[in-house]
Amino acid sequence: MLDLIGETIVSTYRYNVSLRLTHPTADPDTFSAALGLEPRFTDIAGQPRVRKGKQLDYVAKETYWTHQFDASHSPIDVEAFLLVTARRLASHKDLFSDIRSAGGRIEFFVGFFPEEFNCGFELTPELQQLCADLGIALAFDVYGFDSGQGKMSN
């Protein structure tokens, strides 16, 4: 891995990062307005879920709002991206506290895509503390490495 202004260039994995918010009753548009971010998906508590313009046979039990950050071409590793993003969201600590007080949740959802069989990352105490202070959980989905043979290789 190469060093770029003190950050590590990713060469062994790709990742996506989304901010996910849930709330028992809030209008998801209030999250968009407060955060200045466009949602990728929203659900309104008590109303049918809509995806790709189609109403689904599922009524949302809670409000759901998610924004996907553009990490697809990020030159920094996932931990650094999360740290920078959490710092940018720190001014919304009161909003996050209100959401959690009402029974909602805030999380960074990370999709992790290994491009080699053995790769990884660390979450520094600084990132973990900042997320804890903001009430942001860290959720990871790790998608298996495909060696081209359709299975995990060793």
Side-chain angles (χ1 to χ4, degrees), residues 46-113:
Q47 295 188 16
R49 177 178 283 173
V50 177
R51 292 292 183 270
K52 298 181 182 179
K54 294 183 182 179
Q55 184 172 311
L56 306 177
D57 291 331
Y58 174 82
V59 174
K61 295 177 183 163
E62 60 188 357
T63 293
Y64 173 76
W65 180 98
T66 184
H67 171 81
Q68 185 170 340
F69 295 99
D70 184 13
S72 60
H73 297 98
S74 179
I76 59 177
D77 70 17
V78 66
E79 193 276 341
F81 187 91
L82 289 168
L83 185 58
V84 167
T85 304
R87 287 177 179 155
R88 288 181 181 154
L89 292 171
S91 64
H92 301 289
K93 183 177 182 175
D94 290 342
L95 170 67
F96 297 155
S97 178
D98 291 347
I99 291 169
R100 288 173 44 85
S101 293
R105 296 181 313 277
I106 303 98
E107 73 177 24
F108 281 133
F109 172 81
V110 180
F112 186 77
F113 305 88

Side-chain angles (χ1 to χ4, degrees), residues 12-14 112-117 119 142-146:
T12 59
Y13 61 84
R14 296 175 294 111
F112 186 77
F113 305 88
E115 293 182 347
E116 294 180 8
F117 181 72
C119 67
V142 178
Y143 300 89
F145 169 69
D146 185 351

Side-chain angles (χ1 to χ4, degrees), residues 138-152:
L138 296 166
F140 294 88
D141 269 10
V142 178
Y143 300 89
F145 169 69
D146 185 351
S147 66
Q149 300 173 13
K151 61 182 181 177
M152 297 291 285

Side-chain angles (χ1 to χ4, degrees), residues 6-32:
E7 303 298 345
T8 305
I9 301 244
V10 177
S11 63
T12 59
Y13 61 84
R14 296 175 294 111
Y15 61 91
N16 294 320
V17 176
S18 297
L19 177 66
R20 292 180 172 179
L21 309 176
T22 65
H23 189 280
T25 59
D27 181 339
D29 289 341
T30 61
F31 302 146
S32 301

